[in-house]
Structures are given as C-alpha cells and as structure tokens.
Amino acid sequence: MVAEGTAVIPDVRGRRPGRGAYLHDDRRCLEAAERRRVWSRAFRRGPGDGGWDVSRVEALFGVTPHDPPADPSR
C-alpha cells in the first residue's frame, strides 16, 4: 500500500514511489489496521481532517467479513 494524498492505494507490484505499507491478503487484517489506526504510523504522516480513504483497498477484498462463503454448487 502507498499513500497518495489521503488515499491508501494498493501497490500489488511494489513499484509505486513513496513509503509503503504491507497488508496481508485477509479482510481481518484490514479490519485490524482500521481499528488500530495504523495508516498514519505506516506512512509517517497524518491523513488530514477527512481521514484516510481506504476504499480502493476494501475493493480488493470484495466481500464484507460477515458474508457467508459463496456456495460453489449454485
């Protein structure tokens, strides 16, 4: 992950410039990061008044943590 302004952007190839942060490919890790407010520490700066925008990171996970697993037989 890298910060562009106040947006946290996935950097799956690890090639974007700037200070990066690692996040496991697990929705629970994203939830823990949100709870612990790790983005400011990881990027060594504050998000400003609006907070960090993690919508692009959330889009990688696609489902909410409480959704039941998809039934492959359907």
Side-chain angles (χ1 to χ4, degrees), residues 4-45:
E4 289 184 4
T6 60
V8 179
I9 308 295
D11 182 16
V12 294
R13 293 184 179 178
R15 296 194 176 165
R16 289 184 176 263
R19 182 173 175 83
Y22 180 80
L23 183 68
H24 289 103
D25 188 15
D26 186 331
R27 179 72 184 210
R28 293 173 296 179
C29 290
L30 173 61
E31 292 170 350
E34 291 279 294
R35 251 190 337 269
R36 296 177 62 209
R37 301 180 186 156
V38 301
W39 305 120
S40 292
R41 283 193 310 272
F43 300 126
R44 294 185 179 172
R45 62 185 174 91

Side-chain angles (χ1 to χ4, degrees), residues 54-72:
V54 294
S55 59
R56 294 188 200 176
V57 178
E58 290 173 337
L60 283 179
F61 296 101
V63 295
T64 60
H66 304 294
D67 284 346
D71 185 0

